[in-house]
Amino acid sequence: MPAFPKAAHEAVRDTTLRGNLRHATHTIRAKRAKAVAEVSDWAELREAGRRIKDHTLRHLDRYLVQLEESVTAAGGTVHWAADADEANRIVADLVRATGETEVVKVKSMATQEIGLNEALRAEGVHAYETDLAELIVQLGDDRPSHILVPAIHRNRGEIRDIFRSEMGEWGRPAPEGLTDTPAELAEAARLHLREKFLRAKVGVSGANFMVAETGTLVVVESEGNGRMCLTLPETLISVVGIEKIVPTWRDLEVFLQTLPRSSTAERMNPYTSTWTGTADGDGPRTFHLVLLDNGRTDTLADEVGRQALRCIRCSACLNVCPVYERAGGHAYGSVYPGPIGAILSPQLRGTQSEIDASLPYASSLCGACYEVCPVAIDIPEVLVHLRERVAQGGVVTQRGAKVMLKPAKGHTAERAAMRAARWALGSPGALRAGQRIASRSRRFHPRTLPGPGRAWSASRDLPPVPAEPFRDWWQRTHGGQETGK
């Protein structure tokens, strides 16, 4: 992936994409605002969610051990994966042990993060996405562009064309004469997926939450596909980031109020599925939980950046972000797009690549994302923190080893300018002389910046320099006194 500015430059020229995004994000955020306004204690719920998450992250080691003990006692098996390769290997081995060559999937952002579908394909296993939007993305050989609505960049006509041309290659073909009406598209997807649900022996899921005290996993969704994936297969494998844990059922109650209102603008999700280990004659006979680190422990070590791990994946920040609305999710080069992706991806993956080094700058710092976050993640604060890391070269921890990075390309001049500004602002005499020179030479000043600053001034003029410095004006209008009340 190229750096965000280059990818976004291409995206904003796609008028169809911008129209799709504008319509979808405006609709979702308007509904969300109405749903949140119904709750008189929303601010208190938001603060409770923040405190629960911060407490859990501070004691993550203890709660993870408790979770493992609870899952094991309930008949499940827990696996620990330090990175994507280890997680993919664990899941591939578990699927191979069943003798099956197909799996159905639900709530799979963590598996997209690690590239599980590709890893299983290399082992001869076909993984089928069952969320409607994820199905659209998979059939279209596409990438997700939104946390809640991964196919938000597609309109109904595009979805109809994808179903008509691709469904037959993956299973049951689309009905003859399929139109772009939502009811017909949903029915085509239902018939296509029902065949896979009834045939699959292995299910792969993520989870919205894990309850440490009982070993219970929770999936909330709106289509019913989750219920199918979690109950029909004989073997269930859940791949979940270690930050998705909450200590108790009482803690879970807070998030079951805030998540649906912030994401789908519903008072509660149509399907809230919970499972605790295995039970005779009810659901899968074998349950495996793969706890995924993949950079989360390193993120936890950053006192400012760790608040990104509070995220409950509601996507509210995407729907209010003016940058996301215009650039779309693909420009972020990550399964986690938008404001939360701009702070989460560079921490999970490091800032070595061009795309990850550019993500902290993919924001206007307007603060709208912080205002709507149901767990009060101060995304602008983390963005500035990560910008400092990138500009200074920083120290990035990866798999426990500290790696010194060279300053990112384009930041050398910026650092030199900041050093010069620090010297000038700390030297009154130099500052006074510089102001006078700037005022007297104002007619020769360019209207745009040269070199690296050209991108900033391409769409804006530099402000004109005053005819005289403030100090000279003060001396002229206040009798020569430089200070006064």
Side-chain angles (χ1 to χ4, degrees), residues 41-116:
D41 61 345
W42 180 260
E44 288 78 9
L45 284 169
R46 185 176 187 243
E47 176 63 14
R50 182 192 68 80
R51 291 186 178 186
I52 291 168
K53 280 290 188 176
D54 281 349
H55 167 80
T56 306
L57 292 173
R58 283 196 301 270
H59 304 283
L60 190 59
D61 53 347
R62 172 160 61 89
Y63 287 121
L64 284 172
V65 171
Q66 183 183 10
L67 176 71
E68 180 183 33
E69 293 172 347
S70 300
V71 170
T72 302
T77 303
V78 177
H79 309 262
W80 299 81
D83 55 25
D85 290 340
E86 187 172 8
N88 288 333
R89 185 171 61 254
I90 291 170
V91 176
D93 289 345
L94 292 173
V95 175
R96 235 188 346 256
T98 67
E100 297 295 321
T101 58
E102 293 183 344
V103 302
V104 289
K105 296 178 62 191
V106 63
K107 283 289 176 183
S108 56
M109 288 197 74
T111 65
Q112 292 168 357
E113 174 190 328
I114 64 177
L116 179 62

Side-chain angles (χ1 to χ4, degrees), residues 53-331:
K53 280 290 188 176
D54 281 349
H55 167 80
T56 306
L57 292 173
R58 283 196 301 270
H59 304 283
L60 190 59
D61 53 347
R62 172 160 61 89
Y63 287 121
L64 284 172
V65 171
Q66 183 183 10
L67 176 71
E68 180 183 33
E69 293 172 347
S70 300
V71 170
T72 302
T77 303
V78 177
H79 309 262
W80 299 81
D83 55 25
D85 290 340
E86 187 172 8
N88 288 333
R89 185 171 61 254
I90 291 170
V91 176
D93 289 345
L94 292 173
V95 175
R96 235 188 346 256
T98 67
E100 297 295 321
T101 58
E102 293 183 344
V103 302
V104 289
K105 296 178 62 191
V106 63
K107 283 289 176 183
S108 56
M109 288 197 74
T111 65
Q112 292 168 357
E113 174 190 328
I114 64 177
L116 179 62
N117 286 9
E118 293 76 11
L120 291 178
R121 188 183 307 124
E123 299 290 335
V125 177
H126 297 283
Y128 298 111
E129 301 291 349
T130 66
D131 290 295
L132 177 57
E134 295 285 5
L135 173 66
I136 295 166
V137 169
Q138 185 175 50
L139 292 178
D141 193 23
D142 203 350
R143 292 177 292 119
S145 63
H146 192 276
I147 290 176
L148 177 66
V149 195
I152 195 173
H153 56 289
R154 297 288 194 184
N155 59 38
R156 294 185 306 183
E158 291 173 317
I159 296 169
R160 175 204 57 208
D161 294 342
I162 290 171
F163 281 8
R164 283 176 174 177
S165 63
E166 302 298 330
M167 268 189 170
E169 298 295 322
W170 290 76
R172 179 169 179 154
E176 290 290 334
L178 179 66
T179 72
D180 65 355
T181 60
E184 287 195 28
L185 294 174
E187 178 66 6
R190 188 187 72 83
L191 294 172
H192 178 82
L193 291 172
R194 183 58 58 96
E195 181 181 81
K196 291 180 169 49
F197 290 138
L198 297 177
R199 186 176 67 229
K201 302 295 183 183
V202 180
V204 175
S205 85
N208 293 97
F209 306 100
M210 303 180 290
V211 183
E213 70 174 348
T214 59
T216 301
L217 274 70
V218 184
V219 161
V220 295
E221 41 102 7
S222 302
E223 302 170 21
N225 63 301
R227 189 68 55 86
M228 293 283 197
C229 286
L230 298 170
T231 58
L232 293 179
E234 297 175 359
T235 299
L236 176 60
I237 305 168
S238 298
V239 182
V240 190
I242 57 176
E243 81 281 14
K244 293 296 188 72
I245 195 169
V246 295
T248 68
W249 275 87
R250 184 175 182 178
D251 299 321
L252 176 65
E253 182 264 345
V254 172
F255 301 108
L256 291 183
Q257 294 185 72
T258 57
L259 176 57
R261 291 180 185 271
S262 287
S263 57
T264 57
E266 296 170 300
R267 296 179 179 89
M268 65 179 293
N269 289 95
Y271 294 90
T272 300
S273 300
T274 66
W275 68 100
T276 308
T278 59
D280 293 337
D282 182 17
R285 294 197 292 269
T286 306
F287 170 59
H288 296 273
L289 172 59
V290 182
L291 292 171
L292 177 68
D293 188 325
N294 203 39
R296 288 160 173 80
T297 298
D298 293 334
T299 303
L300 185 62
D302 187 324
E303 292 186 2
V304 176
R306 72 174 58 156
Q307 57 185 299
L309 297 178
R310 291 185 207 148
C311 179
I312 58 175
R313 308 292 191 265
C314 70
S315 77
C317 61
L318 281 70
N319 300 323
V320 299
C321 178
V323 176
Y324 174 86
E325 181 185 320
R326 288 156 179 80
H330 291 158

